[in-house]
Amino acid sequence: MKVYGTFPRRITEQSQRQEHKSFMSLARFLRRAMIVRALRNEAAFRSGQPGRFILLVPPTFEPKALASSARRVLSECKADLKDLYEYDVDPVDTETSSIWLEDLPVRLMEMPRYLLLTHSLDFIPHRCRLGFDAVLQMHPPTPAHWRAALKVCLGLTATNSEIDHISRLPIDLVALATGRRGSVSEIIDEVEAAIAEDDAKEARSKEPRASSRQPRSMTLQELSGYGPAQTWGLDLASDLAAWKAGELAWADVDRGVLLCGPPGTGKTTFAAALAKSCEAHLVAASVARWQATGHLGDLLKAMRKDFAEARKNAPSILFIDEFDSIGDRARFSDHHASYSIQVVNGLLECIDGLDDREGVIIVGACNQSEGIDPALLRSGRLDRQIDIPLPDETARRGILRVHQPDALADDVVEKIASVTDGWSGADLEALCRRARRRARKKRRAVMLDDFMAELPEEIAVPDDLVEVMAIHEAGHAVVASALGRGVELIEINRTISREHAGLGGHVTIQQQPLKRRSRTSYMEEVTILMAGIAAETVVYGEHADGAGAVPGSDLHRATDLATMMEACLGFGPSLVFHDAQDAFSLDRLRRSDLKLKERVDAVLKTSLKTATDLIAGDRQSVESIARHLIRRGSMQGHEVRPLIIGNGRPETEGRRLKL
């Protein structure tokens, strides 16, 4: 394409208008010719009489691009019929809303003169076709149309060879190239050069970059640390294979799954591996990508486009990242409620609207599932939820071997896995990348030292803080034991990482079997959560900020549990039920109801007093467990029990407090 340093001639406002007119009229002329040719046998309709027709558009043309030309053709009727009958034109394609199609019969009854433009009758429900008089086939412009358009719009003549050549090019590109080109051959050369350049650029973008380490897509069998998700995926691959072979009905195949887990746990990697194992087409989407296309209409259009691609390429995996950002219609604020509700409704429509999605598996990914609209998770939609936790040590070893293909000794892999507790798969991948970079700088193979040097700095916890942590966790253990709950494990952190660990420790309490749960049992749970604060208060006279400060802390969990008791479970003065099960809803409930907040505070204070009394009566056990923790860092349940039993009071079995 020519590049001018300056324009070859002066571009006046008049010449700009003339070029714009030529661009518009050439494309408009040819599209009008296509419409008129399709309606050539419907003279009464062309003159202004009522009629309803479906026009089948050639695959190389877009129905939406032809709609305005079709409206102009309908406006060109006899003078005495011009304002007698209403008319309209609508395009229908893969992105057309099924809700709009449901209203099509009503539109047909209200519109005497009507054209519907579409690529295929498959897009139109059969019952809607009953309202049309006929289905007419459209064809691309003929050579005669092109010759007339060039002569009338541009004043150019063309040879038969040029007509044959230009008629194969896209109308819009030809129209764009007419501005300052003086001959048909020059227009053809410019358009072909532009197409060739764009094709070459697209081909280059698809070529793999030269690299000694190309990323390799994995199958589910090669993944580590996915547990139930991996099992589900392998079962799905087997079911899809049976479905493709005609041995299994689609009704017996899972339609969707929601993957929940912390950031970096490999939900996107899982979707890619699932598609490869299932030999299915992968469509990767996200709410952010849909929103980036523009306003609400553009978002819904992008959403439908991804679903249409998945249906077209079935069997396929439609992966929707950031699924929790879709939201819940019950939580939207008044300011943005209308917009957000339409997004949720649009997604529901795509998932199970009129269009059949046989062969399409939807995989949603999120960090928290509590804020997702329940309608999206009901049966037939994303009705299965699988948690993907941070990888354990065995899984970390497998992940390291995947991301570090250069052979490492088993003891090296085990050492790295042992010191990366709490790391996600993405963290481990980044660690391997940094270790390889360090080895490259030294021009040698990767060694253990490269990994250790790239680990975040470890900071030793001061002895006085270690003692506070030990007292805090021992308090949980002693109160849990006093309330008949067994202790499985106690741990404290002697060192912390700047990036991956938190100051503190944790106690694992034995899960109670399914049983009747009353106000008393819930109060006992709150009391156990408040026991860390109680232990610090008894030993030091006050508690520090370790029990609160962050979401998920002891105080946070105790507050939410107390709120549920008062507002959701009927354990407060009111039996009114509030639908608030997650942290966000419970916090909003407390903010909006000051009396509820006061009752929650009373529950917390009562539980704290109970825990304080228990610990004050068995302080010796708390201090004994704390001393062992300071020396060893962790204790198993069978090591904890003798320290409590041997200090003056037997462990209770199912003891109930009068709270």
Side-chain angles (χ1 to χ4, degrees), residues 468 471-472 530-544 608 611-612 615-616 619:
V468 173
I471 290 292
H472 182 103
M530 300 298 290
I533 294 177
E536 291 184 40
T537 304
V538 169
V539 175
Y540 301 109
E542 61 180 359
H543 67 87
L608 177 60
T612 302
I615 289 172
R619 176 171 175 170

Side-chain angles (χ1 to χ4, degrees), residues 589-607:
L589 199 58
R590 289 190 296 269
R591 291 173 183 270
S592 62
D593 189 340
L594 294 180
K595 290 185 178 179
L596 171 64
K597 185 176 180 179
E598 292 174 356
R599 296 201 303 272
V600 169
D601 184 55
V603 170
L604 296 176
K605 288 178 177 176
T606 300
S607 299

Side-chain angles (χ1 to χ4, degrees), residues 468-501:
V468 173
M469 290 189 294
I471 290 292
H472 182 103
E473 304 305 334
H476 287 302
V478 168
V479 171
S481 179
L483 298 178
R485 302 285 295 276
V487 176
E488 294 183 351
L489 176 69
I490 312 178
E491 288 184 315
I492 59 173
N493 298 323
R494 297 302 302 261
T495 61
I496 61 171
S497 163
R498 291 187 184 275
E499 297 181 13
H500 295 281

Side-chain angles (χ1 to χ4, degrees), residues 522 561 563-572 574-577 581:
Y522 275 93
L561 194 57
T563 306
M564 291 182 63
M565 291 173 57
E566 294 293 320
C568 308
L569 302 176
F571 293 151
S574 172
L575 294 176
V576 174
F577 170 75
Q581 304 296 320

